[in-house]
């Protein structure tokens, strides 16, 4: 099956749409042939086709209204000239027919269909068909759930019928090539994949913190047994929520990556500042989209810099602050019902209420390493191909300078760059001290 075959059947569907549009206009404007009904125009028979579009029509058992909406979305991408007829002017008022809906973009010189455009075609002969039409665009329809058709959210001053109606780029790509594009790019969400080549031995943490992390790891490995086979999802929350807190560079991100590596799960970092909208209610919408993807793909979610979500939302000074606190509760409630591991990372232990803290299954502290741990980190850093000169006193450096694992890793990188420039495989104490002083000066 080639892209040419896929494109051919899509154009034949648009041919049908073009006939439908002209019949709807004739019926509405009482032009020649107005007695006919657009619904009587024969649909394209796709029973013998093996293209993605034909399979979609068959598998989802799409009716004439659903295929009309889909064809409108296709035309916008593939043959926008089919929609130019809606640019016609009402001769009485010398302006476009408002009942046709649509958005005219002078920059792109084209007509973009809206919900009103779809309603006009469906109801051109019978206004009572509006109920059937709105069913196709409802929030619980498969087109919406699977993000096949996108209905742009109008602002509070714009009627819902003026929302732009578009076929998603991801589904267009699939219908053309039978290949799926990256879901993260399609949703345009502030998330990115995490991975690591390190192992647990490279993480320096107190015994208490390691014990909590073992529980997290075991949950991911055995959650299906606990929730499904044992049936405990009826009595406990189906997921696991953890709170990591500690200054930057102490291993929170590395830990999330290691949990994914050892449990064979993909880990996605959620950039909290990117989903925390200044507009009340937008945060919930962004979070819902991320959780839907995570559940479908069994991801571990790591909310980095979660202070952006929880910070400054505990002091109640006005009604907006009270709503913000409700928003935090909503976030945790949604996460509790998510059947996967979700980690919130804070740069310090958040000053949120005890009742909110109790909603976390685990709270893991990532402290600054002590003298002994810092020495271990320095020794691990230079245990590879890049070795130390014999007179390097790591114990003195570890004792004198309180650094995070991330900062030690940064110094290793800078030393490696200088060693490569000098074409040597050894690093001396003077090299470490030079990079250490640069690091301190830059912070």
């Amino acid at each position: 099956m080639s892209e040419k075959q896929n494109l051919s059947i899509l154009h034949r569907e648009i041919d049908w749409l073009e006939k439908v549009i002209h019949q709807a206009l004739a019926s509405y404007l009482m032009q020649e042939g107005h007695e006919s009904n657009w619904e009587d125009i024969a649909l394209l028979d796709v029973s013998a086709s093996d293209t993605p579009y034909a399979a979609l029509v068959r598998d989802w058992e799409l009716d004439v209204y659903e295929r009309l909406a889909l064809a409108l979305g296709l035309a916008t991408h593939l043959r926008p000239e089919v929609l130019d007829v809606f640019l016609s002017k009402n001769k009485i008022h010398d302006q476009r027919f408002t009942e046709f809906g649509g958005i005219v973009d002078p920059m792109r010189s084209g007509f973009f269909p809206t919900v009103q455009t779809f309603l006009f075609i469906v109801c051109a002969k019978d206004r009572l068909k509006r109920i059937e039409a709105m069913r196709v665009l409802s929030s619980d329809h498969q087109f919406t759930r699977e993000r096949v058709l996108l209905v742009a959210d109008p602002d509070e001053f714009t009627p819902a019928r003026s929302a732009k109606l578009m076929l998603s780029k991801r589904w267009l790509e699939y219908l053309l090539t039978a290949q799926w594009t990256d879901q993260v790019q399609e949703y345009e969400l502030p998330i990115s994949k995490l991975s690591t080549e390190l192992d647990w031995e490279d993480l320096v943490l107190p015994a208490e913190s390691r014990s909590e992390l073992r529980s997290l790891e075991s949950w991911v490995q055995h959650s299906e047994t606990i929730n499904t086979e044992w049936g405990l999802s009826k009595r406990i929350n189906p997921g696991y929520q953890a709170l990591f807190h500690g200054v930057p560079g102490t291993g929170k991100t590395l830990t999330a990556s290691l949990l994914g590596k050892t449990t064979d799960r993909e880990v996605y970092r959620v950039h909290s500042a990117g989903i925390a909208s200044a507009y009340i209610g937008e945060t919930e919408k962004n979070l819902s989209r991320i959780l839907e993807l995570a559940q479908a793909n069994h991801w571990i979610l790591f909310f980095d810099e979660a202070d952006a979500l929880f910070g400054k939302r505990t002091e109640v000074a006005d009604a907006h602050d009270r709503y913000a606190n409700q928003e935090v509760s909503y976030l945790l409630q949604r996460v509790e019902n998510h059947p996967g591991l979700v980690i919130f990372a804070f740069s310090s232990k958040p000053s949120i209420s005890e009742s909110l803290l109790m909603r976390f299954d685990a709270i893991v502290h990532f402290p600054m390493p002590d003298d002994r741990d810092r020495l271990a980190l320095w020794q691990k850093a230079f245990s590879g191909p890049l070795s130390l000169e014999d007179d390097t006193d790591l114990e003195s450096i570890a004792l004198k300078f309180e650094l995070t694992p991330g900062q030690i890793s940064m110094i290793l990188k800078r030393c490696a760059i200088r060693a490569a420039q000098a074409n040597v495989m050894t690093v001396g104490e003077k090299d470490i001290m030079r990079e250490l002083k640069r690091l301190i000066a830059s912070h």
Side-chain angles (χ1 to χ4, degrees):
M1 179 178 54
S2 66
E3 184 172 332
K4 185 176 180 180
Q5 290 174 308
N6 295 339
L7 191 59
S8 175
I9 199 166
L10 295 179
H11 276 293
R12 290 170 65 192
E13 190 77 341
I14 296 174
D15 288 340
W16 169 79
L17 170 67
E18 188 169 23
K19 295 176 184 176
V20 166
I21 291 173
H22 284 286
Q23 180 56 56
L25 287 169
S27 297
Y28 182 75
L29 299 174
M30 298 299 290
Q31 295 173 341
E32 182 179 353
H34 66 84
E35 302 87 354
S36 300
N37 190 340
W38 72 265
E39 293 185 51
D40 295 330
I41 300 174
L43 284 162
L44 176 65
D45 183 4
V46 297
S47 59
S49 173
D50 62 350
T51 63
Y53 182 80
L56 178 67
V57 171
R58 291 194 303 269
D59 295 346
W60 289 15
E61 299 179 347
L62 300 185
D63 62 26
V64 67
Y65 305 108
E66 292 163 331
R67 288 179 68 168
L68 172 62
L70 199 53
L72 270 175
L74 284 167
T76 305
H77 289 286
L78 301 180
R79 278 172 46 200
E81 66 273 13
V82 169
L83 306 174
D84 285 349
V85 66
F86 289 120
L87 295 174
S88 303
K89 285 188 175 182
N90 185 325
K91 294 180 180 179
I92 298 176
H93 303 293
D94 193 31
Q95 63 178 19
R96 289 181 52 245
F97 289 83
T98 55
E99 52 267 55
F100 293 171
I103 296 173
V104 179
D105 188 341
M107 297 296 293
R108 294 179 175 84
S109 185
F111 176 93
F112 292 90
T114 60
V115 171
Q116 177 61 33
T117 310
F118 176 61
L119 291 175
F120 168 77
I121 297 172
V122 173
C123 303
K125 192 77 173 177
D126 183 355
R127 292 183 180 180
L128 296 182
K129 293 288 186 179
R130 181 185 177 91
I131 297 175
E132 284 294 318
M134 293 309 296
R135 168 186 60 83
V136 178
L137 304 180
S138 66
S139 59
D140 60 351
H141 191 278
Q142 197 160 4
F143 280 170
T144 304
R145 296 199 310 270
E146 300 292 338
R147 283 181 61 84
V148 180
L149 285 175
L150 307 179
V151 179
D153 291 331
D155 60 46
E156 60 181 315
F157 303 108
T158 305
R161 66 178 182 274
S162 298
K164 187 185 293 186
L165 183 64
M166 297 282 288
L167 176 70
S168 73
K169 292 181 180 178
R170 181 168 182 261
W171 272 91
L172 175 66
E173 187 71 18
Y174 170 68
L175 295 175
L176 286 172
T177 68
Q179 301 293 324
W180 291 108
T181 56
D182 187 351
Q183 289 175 295
V184 173
Q185 293 180 359
E186 165 65 18
Y187 281 72
E188 297 182 349
L189 293 171
I191 61 179
S192 56
K193 192 174 181 179
L194 289 177
S195 62
T196 182
E197 295 182 4
L198 299 178
D199 297 304
W200 285 114
E201 296 76 29
D202 297 297
L203 186 67
V204 175
L205 280 178
E208 183 179 356
S209 297
R210 283 189 173 274
S211 177
E212 286 285 5
L213 294 178
R214 281 193 291 271
S215 295
L216 266 69
E217 185 179 20
S218 295
W219 168 262
V220 177
Q221 292 170 332
H222 304 294
S223 58
E224 185 67 24
T225 299
I226 294 170
N227 282 327
T228 305
E229 294 182 24
W230 295 357
L232 290 182
S233 60
K234 300 175 183 177
R235 296 179 174 85
I236 62 175
N237 292 327
Y240 205 92
Q241 301 82 47
L243 187 157
F244 289 2
H245 65 98
V247 298
T250 48
K252 301 184 294 295
T253 303
L254 172 59
T255 298
S257 301
L258 288 171
L259 286 168
K261 182 178 181 179
T262 57
T263 59
D264 197 27
R265 299 289 179 93
E266 290 185 330
V267 182
Y268 274 84
R269 181 208 305 264
V270 182
H271 304 279
S272 300
I275 69 166
S277 172
Y279 299 97
I280 293 176
E282 285 300 305
T283 299
E284 290 94 325
K285 185 183 298 182
N286 290 330
L287 179 69
S288 294
R289 290 169 181 161
I290 292 170
L291 290 178
E292 287 169 6
L293 272 178
Q295 182 171 347
N297 296 282
H298 306 288
W299 294 341
I300 293 174
L301 290 179
F302 177 71
F303 283 76
D304 196 14
E305 299 178 351
D307 313 69
L309 289 174
F310 291 77
K312 300 179 181 179
R313 296 192 175 191
T314 54
E315 297 180 5
V316 179
D318 55 27
H320 187 282
D321 292 332
R322 283 193 293 275
Y323 189 96
N325 273 335
Q326 292 172 13
E327 191 175 56
V328 170
S329 298
Y330 169 85
L331 295 176
L332 289 179
Q333 183 179 1
R334 282 300 312 273
V335 168
E336 282 176 357
N337 294 325
H338 172 69
L341 174 60
V342 180
I343 302 166
F344 289 92
F346 295 81
S347 58
S348 61
K349 193 169 183 179
S351 56
I352 57 179
S353 68
E354 190 66 26
S355 61
L356 288 179
L357 281 176
M358 290 177 63
R359 299 174 81 162
F360 290 95
D361 296 294
I363 297 178
V364 185
H365 183 213
F366 288 75
M368 288 286 292
D370 58 21
D371 300 351
R372 184 180 59 183
D373 286 340
R374 285 200 299 275
L375 176 58
L377 287 166
W378 280 112
Q379 290 170 338
K380 282 180 180 291
F382 291 93
S383 62
L386 200 63
S387 59
L388 292 171
E389 294 178 359
D390 293 338
D391 60 349
T392 304
D393 187 359
L394 284 182
E395 290 188 22
S396 175
I397 295 173
L399 182 65
K400 185 176 181 180
F401 298 98
E402 295 185 3
L403 302 175
T404 67
Q407 290 172 320
I408 293 174
S409 178
M410 192 179 300
I411 291 172
L412 170 63
K413 178 186 287 187
R414 290 176 174 177
C415 287
I417 293 172
R418 286 189 173 272
Q421 289 173 336
N423 196 26
V424 298
M425 294 298 293
T426 57
V427 173
E429 184 170 334
K430 65 180 183 302
D431 300 312
I432 294 177
M433 291 303 298
R434 179 177 58 247
E435 299 305 331
L436 203 157
K437 289 176 181 177
R438 283 183 58 196
L439 178 68
I440 293 174
S442 65
H443 288 71

